[in-house]
């Protein structure tokens, strides 16, 4: 994974990155980065990054990104990290890799669970624009983000999108009380638009995930082929739907704290019962 320097957003409520720069240290040397009760010399088995994990500014690896993400939980019972970026950039793959790396102290909350149902899309005349900004229940998403920050003592169930049913499904994921970091991802998280602004202010940081255009195009075509479209239909969907969505999302790039590229770092993980793992149709 190639990673640019952390950026301070030029707009929006956030003013400084919280986990980057020359003051960052390794998790082994900073007791605040080790979950309470953990042995700093032991192999990690619970929540949080393991000892010796390096922060941004040293080794820019999955472990380093996970440590940076975990640092958002300092001085707060639970924090939310947002991953924004255009379709096909690798947001969900990175989010699931971070959660898997951090273990039981982290949970996954995909925006995809807030797709409107096919019935609602038909009612609104949005069937051909499924995945576009107005085709999501942004206020439902905002309410769930508020819940995960406010309700830290009970299980919170999280919806997802099923690419076999082509519909959102309830309660596929779980934010348990032990989760101190919630990683959420979706195209529009940093957009300066109604609803999305409300979601953005609930995030400790929002990182922008991108990939070269040609890489994204092939990922998106593969996603549509896996969903049942033929080659021509897949490429037409990408050109008429995913590409315009990506153009909108790119306008939000400067509102994000750091810019990440998903090329160069293998993030493949064995799929588990929670659905966290590598799945080409979910890039």
């Amino acid at each position: 994974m190639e990673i640019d320097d952390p950026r301070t957003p030029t707009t929006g409520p956030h003013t400084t990155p919280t986990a980057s720069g020359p003051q960052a240290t390794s998790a082994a040397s900073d007791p605040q980065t080790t979950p309470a009760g953990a042995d700093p010399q032991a192999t990690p088995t619970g929540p949080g990054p393991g000892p010796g994990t390096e922060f941004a500014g040293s080794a820019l690896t999955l472990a380093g990104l996970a440590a940076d993400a975990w640092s958002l939980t300092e001085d707060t019972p639970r924090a939310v990290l947002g991953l924004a970026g255009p379709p096909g950039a690798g947001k969900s793959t990175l989010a699931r890799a971070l959660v898997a790396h951090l273990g039981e102290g982290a949970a996954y909350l995909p925006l995809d669970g807030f797709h409107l149902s096919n019935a609602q899309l038909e009612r609104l005349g949005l069937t051909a624009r499924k995945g576009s900004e107005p085709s999501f229940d942004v206020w439902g998403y905002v309410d769930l983000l508020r819940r995960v920050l406010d309700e830290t003592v009970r299980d919170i169930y999280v919806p997802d999108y099923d690419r076999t049913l082509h519909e959102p499904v309830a309660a596929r994921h779980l934010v348990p009380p032990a989760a101190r970091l919630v990683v959420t991802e979706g195209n529009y998280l940093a957009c300066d638009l109604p609803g999305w602004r409300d979601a953005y202010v609930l995030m400790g940081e929002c990182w922008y995930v991108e990939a070269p255009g040609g890489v994204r195009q092939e990922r998106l075509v593969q996603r549509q082929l896996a969903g049942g479209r033929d080659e021509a239909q897949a490429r037409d969907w990408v050109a008429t739907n995913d590409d315009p969505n990506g153009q909108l999302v790119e306008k939000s790039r400067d509102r994000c704290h750091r810019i990440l590229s998903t090329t160069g770092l293998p993030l493949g993980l064995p799929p588990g019962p929670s659905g966290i793992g590598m799945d080409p149709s979910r890039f």
Side-chain angles (χ1 to χ4, degrees):
M1 176 178 287
E2 300 169 355
I3 303 170
D4 293 340
D5 290 338
R7 297 167 60 107
T8 300
T10 57
T11 59
H14 307 291
T15 56
T16 57
T18 61
S20 59
Q23 300 303 314
T25 59
S26 73
S29 63
D30 183 353
Q32 288 185 316
T33 65
T34 303
D39 179 353
Q41 302 302 319
T43 300
T45 57
T53 300
E54 294 178 319
F55 285 87
S58 49
L60 296 173
T61 62
L62 175 61
L65 291 173
D68 285 353
W70 184 257
S71 73
L72 298 176
T73 65
E74 294 175 11
D75 304 319
T76 186
R78 180 177 285 160
V80 174
L81 169 66
L83 301 179
K91 300 179 297 297
S92 60
T93 301
L94 176 57
R96 293 194 301 274
L98 288 170
V99 170
H101 186 90
L102 290 167
E104 65 186 34
Y108 177 52
L109 195 164
L111 174 62
D112 267 0
F114 294 87
H115 270 282
L116 296 179
S117 69
N118 290 331
Q120 295 303 326
L121 293 175
E122 183 176 1
R123 180 181 68 85
L124 295 169
L126 290 171
T127 299
R129 294 289 285 120
K130 191 173 190 174
S132 63
E133 183 271 328
S135 72
F136 287 88
D137 176 16
V138 61
W139 296 111
Y141 176 65
V142 170
D143 285 344
L144 188 60
L145 290 184
R146 289 190 179 123
R147 280 193 64 204
V148 300
L149 290 172
D150 293 342
E151 301 177 22
T152 59
V153 297
R154 61 173 61 90
D155 287 341
I156 297 177
Y157 297 100
V158 174
D160 201 355
Y161 184 79
D162 191 297
R163 293 188 182 277
T164 301
L165 298 175
H166 302 290
E167 289 277 14
V169 293
R172 175 168 286 173
H173 303 289
L174 173 70
V175 179
R180 294 196 53 217
L181 179 71
V182 175
V183 182
T184 185
E185 53 83 16
N187 295 343
Y188 308 105
L189 272 52
C191 285
D192 190 12
L193 295 169
W196 306 107
R197 287 190 290 264
D198 299 75
Y200 179 74
V201 299
L202 299 174
M203 301 170 198
E205 287 191 0
C206 188
W207 299 352
Y208 190 88
V209 182
E210 60 186 14
V215 173
R216 290 199 305 105
Q217 288 284 319
E218 286 310 306
R219 288 174 177 176
L220 293 169
V221 169
Q222 289 301 314
R223 175 188 294 177
Q224 296 305 318
L225 293 173
R229 288 186 167 92
D230 63 27
E231 181 84 13
Q233 292 170 333
R235 294 195 177 277
D236 179 70
W237 181 268
V238 171
T240 60
N241 197 47
D242 289 328
D243 286 350
N245 296 342
Q247 291 166 10
L248 172 62
V249 172
E250 286 168 2
K251 297 176 182 178
S252 70
R253 189 177 188 269
D254 287 342
R255 286 169 55 82
C256 296
H257 287 77
R258 63 195 302 181
I259 312 299
L260 310 177
S261 173
T262 55
T263 57
L265 180 66
L267 297 175
L269 298 167
S274 67
I276 295 174
M278 183 73 155
D279 176 357
S281 72
R282 297 295 305 279
F283 273 110

